[in-house]
Amino acid sequence: MKAPPGRSEGPARLTATTVSAGPSPVRVRPVELRDRLANLALLALALVAWGLVGLVLTTRDPLADPTAGPVGAALIALASGVTAAPLFWLAVFARHRRIAYRGDWARALRRGGWVGLVVGLFVVLRLGSAPALPIVAFVVVMIVIAEANLSLER
């Protein structure tokens, strides 16, 4: 017996499907298993990191414990960087029409590291009551220049 159109006789598989979007159909590719697992692992790690941030913020008094501020800053930096990395990868994946190129994960992890570094620096500056606009602008401009140089496609 032949399967009806659009159905396969074998087990269900993740295959490219066609989506009608306007006058011409668009092929939609599934996300590879390794990419999906990497995204889920990083998001799970981010959830754990944000839980630790909440734990530190609710249980430690920065006035009574002088190490609470830097520990909180490090945890917030880690949590924000780990949260940003899979989002950067997903943005590039969508921009490349659902094709993952070599180096996309390294670039996403590097950008997530930049986010964590900037957030950690800003929190530490805020702890010291010194978030001056020139310092913030300098850090952001330096990171934009560094990322632009590192992301050049040759």
Side-chain angles (χ1 to χ4, degrees):
M1 183 166 109
K2 189 171 183 179
R7 296 285 200 152
S8 65
E9 293 178 0
R13 291 187 199 132
L14 289 176
T15 59
T17 58
T18 303
V19 176
S20 178
S24 63
V26 177
R27 279 187 73 117
V28 178
R29 294 175 188 87
V31 178
E32 294 286 330
L33 180 63
R34 63 183 158 86
D35 294 328
R36 184 179 296 118
L37 289 176
N39 272 310
L40 291 174
L42 284 173
L43 290 173
L45 182 62
L47 187 65
V48 169
W50 283 115
L52 289 173
V53 168
L55 182 70
V56 167
L57 290 178
T58 57
T59 60
R60 296 187 70 181
D61 182 17
L63 298 176
D65 186 8
T67 62
V71 168
L75 284 174
I76 291 171
L78 174 71
S80 59
V82 173
T83 302
L87 299 178
F88 281 128
W89 184 85
L90 286 170
V92 171
F93 183 68
R95 191 178 71 216
H96 287 161
R97 298 180 185 251
R98 299 179 60 92
I99 298 173
Y101 291 108
R102 182 178 300 163
D104 283 348
W105 270 111
R107 189 176 303 119
L109 292 173
R110 184 180 65 233
R111 289 176 179 168
W114 288 125
V115 167
L117 182 71
V118 169
V119 168
L121 180 65
F122 289 168
V123 172
V124 168
L125 285 175
R126 180 66 184 113
L127 287 172
S129 299
L133 184 60
I135 296 172
V136 171
F138 175 76
V139 169
V140 170
V141 167
M142 290 304 294
I143 288 179
V144 167
I145 291 171
E147 183 58 34
N149 284 330
L150 291 172
S151 292
L152 282 178
E153 294 188 24
R154 297 176 181 129

